[in-house]
Amino acid sequence: QVQLVESGGGLVQAGGSLRLSCVTSGRIVSIGVMGWYRQAPGKQRELVADISLGGTTNYADSVRGRFTISRDNAKNTVYLQMNSLKPEDTAVYYCNALVNWIHYWGQGTQVTVSS
């Protein structure tokens, strides 16, 4: 049914950039807010950024100014452009979307930033 699939993770050096994508598919009646979360080993999952249907954005203080979230409603896709990456950004990044009034999660994509 509803499925979220992330892509774009990988290994980069500090100061580098990555662009994550998340495509939502299935029987979609409505998509509301979409966002990115991340979880480092031994730590709680935390919100990185989210974006409303109308384009209002919200960022964690730790990424504001470096990351940019965007969405393409025609493609049911949300993106996360990550610039000036730091080792502290290393985590599994998960896509989340409110689809048919239910929150769904992607499988996660690994982002590793080396120093």
Side-chain angles (χ1 to χ4, degrees), residues 43-108:
K43 296 185 178 180
Q44 293 279 100
R45 187 172 300 187
E46 65 174 352
L47 174 69
V48 177
D50 60 24
I51 181 168
S52 73
L53 185 63
T56 301
T57 57
N58 179 47
Y59 294 95
D61 290 342
S62 59
V63 308
R64 187 176 292 110
R66 300 187 297 120
F67 293 7
T68 302
I69 190 170
S70 61
R71 65 190 290 168
D72 186 334
N73 293 328
K75 296 180 178 180
N76 297 328
T77 301
V78 62
Y79 306 94
L80 186 68
Q81 178 66 47
M82 304 185 293
N83 298 325
S84 302
L85 283 162
K86 304 175 180 179
E88 307 93 90
D89 296 318
T90 295
V92 177
Y93 283 70
Y94 296 91
C95 177
N96 179 273
L98 182 65
V99 184
N100 305 336
W101 300 275
I102 298 171
H103 281 282
Y104 289 86
W105 293 94
Q107 81 286 356

Side-chain angles (χ1 to χ4, degrees), residues 7-58:
S7 62
L11 173 63
V12 297
Q13 293 187 2
S17 298
L18 285 173
R19 190 193 191 209
L20 306 183
S21 299
C22 173
V23 179
T24 302
S25 62
R27 190 187 70 85
I28 301 170
V29 177
S30 173
I31 300 180
V33 65
M34 306 179 82
W36 291 94
Y37 293 71
R38 66 186 182 188
Q39 188 167 24
K43 296 185 178 180
Q44 293 279 100
R45 187 172 300 187
E46 65 174 352
L47 174 69
V48 177
D50 60 24
I51 181 168
S52 73
L53 185 63
T56 301
T57 57
N58 179 47

